[in-house]
Amino acid sequence: MEQYFTLNEDLKQMLESSKDSAKLDAMKRIVGMIAKGKNASELFPAVVKNVASKNIEIKKLVYVYLMRYAEEQQDLALLSISTFQRALKDPNQLIRASALRVLSSIRVPIIVPIMMLAIKEASSDLSPYVRKNAAHAIQKLYSLDPEQKEMLIEVIEKLLKDRSTLVAGSVVMAFEEVCPDRIDLIHKNYRKLCNLLVDVEEWGQVVIIHMLTRYARTQFVSPWKDDEVVEEYSENNFYESDEEQKEKDRKVKNTYTMDPDHRLLLRNTKPLLQSRNAAVVMAVAQLYWHLAPKSEAGIVSKSLVRLLRSNREVQYIVLQNIATMSIQRKGMFEPYLKSFYVRSTDPTMIKTLKLEVLTNLANEANISTLLREFQTYVKSQDKQFAAATIQAIGRCATNIAEVTDTCLNGLVCLLSNRDEIVVAESVVVIKKLLQTQPAHHGEIIKHMAKLLDNITVPVARASILWLIGEYCERVPKIAPDVLRKTAKSFTNEDDLVKLQILNLGAKLYLTNSKQTKLLTQYVLNLGKYDQSYDIRDRTRFIRQLIVPNEKSGALSKYAKKIFLAQKPAPLLESPFKDRDHFQLGTLSHTLNSRATGYLELSDWPEVASDPSVRNVDVAESAKEWTGILGKTKKEKPTEKFYSESEEEEDESASTSASESESGSESEKEDKEEGSSDESSGSSSSSEESSDSESDSKEITGKKASRAADESDTEDIKKKAKGISRKRSTSRSSDTESTSSEESSSDSKSESDSKSDSGSGKSRSATCSKKEEKPVQGRKAPNKQDVFLLDLDDFCPVTTSVAVPTAAVLSPSLTADLEGLSLSNSSVIDVTTGVSVPTKTHELLHRMSGKGLAAHYHFSRQPGTFGDRMVSVQVTVTNTTDQKIEDIHVGEKKLPPGMRMHEFNPIECLKPAGSITVSMGIDFCDSTQTASFQLCTKDDRFNVNIQPPVGELLLPVTMSEKDFKKEQACLPALYLLSKPR
């Protein structure tokens, strides 16, 4: 105790130190104590003082500690609540998320409004990690104050629309906790959840699958009715009337057709059967069991059998579910019969469950194999398992008539076993089997009567006595002698055996009173003075019933009917027979009892719900994402961009362009529904490039300018559909002087100025045309978002260099840059190399890199490593006092299609030395992250490079006068992007 006190004092002093290194070391040791299960609550005051530390690492560990002890030390935690509120605005997403987690861990009703406000703000956070923690906080707030349910449902509804895979699982869990009955919230998000399911983390996949299982049972009709109709039709009577035949034909014509949304769920969950997580596989298995047609449910069996190679806890749950499935659908697991054979290393609970499955799968074809297997199990040293095997043999004998006699003879042979438990269980099972066919097995009853002297287990002795008493008329010579023997040992018998001796005496008194009258009275006198009141009561009852006297009632007349009535044979059933009413994979199914929080599966509806409720309005989806970024765009009436005379002249050219593009539009439109903002952004930039292709042809002075202008009109009408068809065609070298850095933000204004000079329209009319684009385009708000990203990401161009020759540009860049059309008065150069103020990004911090620091910037030069490579300059610095050797690129984790050209390894970097190297990355025209390892001789560090949208483009230079002229035609964009 003294040592522990000294340790805590030492930690307190370190936490009060002025050095961050001492505080960080102390916090690491404290978190280590918590991980080991030690109590560190005494350090709460010292730790909470550091909650406002400026060191990010210390602050993270302090929040980890506070999440553990905030609920226990509520008063002290409340003192720091203002710090938590400030941390909710911290630029670091981890700090914001941790602050929200700590705030929701302080279970004090007085701060409920603060928590509610924090959750609402966090639900709109740009970081998906913070939004995920907001979903976690919803459940905590609901358990603290259920009256906030309506406000929390609003937040849940908002988060359900989130497209991030990080958020999906958490918000569905919050939905299940707060409002599981609000199925209407799922309608619009159903298809999105199905499509995101594969990419969600494993914990989230389990939650979403269980929720979608419940949802599907309320929205779709049963897929099992089809099987019933087909079966009925197949059992066709040869001589049935024509009318009956027509009715059956009509039934078959109206066979079940699966809803496309129902099929979408089954199709998207099927790949998860290959998951490494047993819970995910089990969740998909229960979904197929409850939702899939019976003919398709069999695909889960192989995955479930694979889980039997896991640890014993997983095996136990999986085998319980297989046992339930195998009762109703034996065919699913029959091919894997050998997988359920018991191993000597299996624990008893696993052995028993495997035995249960084997018994369920038994049929005429495999029963001989199973019985040989069971013979081995009976000899097991595990007595509980051996007894269970004997019960399984009895069930097989009951279910399969062909082997009843064989099983019965085998059980009789087991009666001579040396093990009393095996003999006792055999007697009990034989008793149950004999009740089904008592007339044919008199010899077995005689054999069991002979064993009575040797069997000592009370249950077995009681079973033999019951059999002899029940069928005493079939063994008239043996039964009285058995009663004589048991009367001698009556006082030494177990209570269970005494009760059966009394019953035997009563039955013999009624059927053979000459031989047993005195013997029965003797037994009744012994029972009258027995120590057990159960025996005394039974004796008193039997005496009044079978020995009539003056006090006897009317029941004595019916004594024979009462004692010798025909009794129904017992049914040997599986203990898992009645578990199918619980959802598979749930705690309630495992316990065979309704657990707290269990949500029952509803019955299939007779009529499916309207599938249109799951349709998502595209305009609404675009508006939703625009709202998240806080940007809106006004729509104005549409106006014709060209005069009627021009449209008539160029009708033929526009027709061919529109026909060639219409095929890809519908395909692209479908793909865009589930795409992210990044894919929308990349498609928008490609549209901008294709938009501006016809513009550059006016500069070259070709005769085909009219046709190109008309195709430009077609492109304008098809905004946000990503038509990149023209990118692959080769162009002439005189059009390669276009830049793609500003093509995504300025191509609209360029076409404006051309139209202004070519057709003589006023600038105001041109600007109104620009407002028309969002009306005709499908995702105009997303497109504007990309514009703002472009303007924010790039620094202004300062100087230009000479225009390069055509040989310098790659064919792909040539196609991208060819058709930018600008005003005739503009002097604009597309350059391959410009001197611009570069923005440097941190690749590896010196603390994380153990003294090795790395920064990178985009050189904005043509790729020297390949046509599609983006050139990246990496500056590596050694901040230590020792040299660092062998700096190179290690393992690369790149998305499909992305390529990387590594820089040459740096053999040695001296202390305080710095070196710049070049590498090339093909980002595939997307803003996906390129992840790789930066390695030294001794260490490996995971680093990421993510390009801003515009770094994938070449810059454009123009005079200030031309820039202002073009800028003036985009008032909405100008106002939003103008520096404040």
Side-chain angles (χ1 to χ4, degrees), residues 116-117 120 147-156:
M116 190 71 233
L117 183 62
K120 282 186 175 180
E147 294 181 1
Q148 302 291 326
K149 182 175 181 178
E150 293 303 321
M151 297 178 71
L152 291 174
I153 289 176
E154 294 177 8
V155 181
I156 290 173

Side-chain angles (χ1 to χ4, degrees), residues 684-709:
S684 297
S685 61
S686 65
E687 295 152 18
E688 294 291 334
S689 299
S690 59
D691 259 348
S692 58
E693 281 180 17
S694 62
D695 293 356
S696 110
K697 292 189 178 180
E698 195 168 278
I699 297 176
T700 63
K702 292 183 180 180
K703 292 181 180 180
S705 61
R706 284 290 177 90
D709 292 341

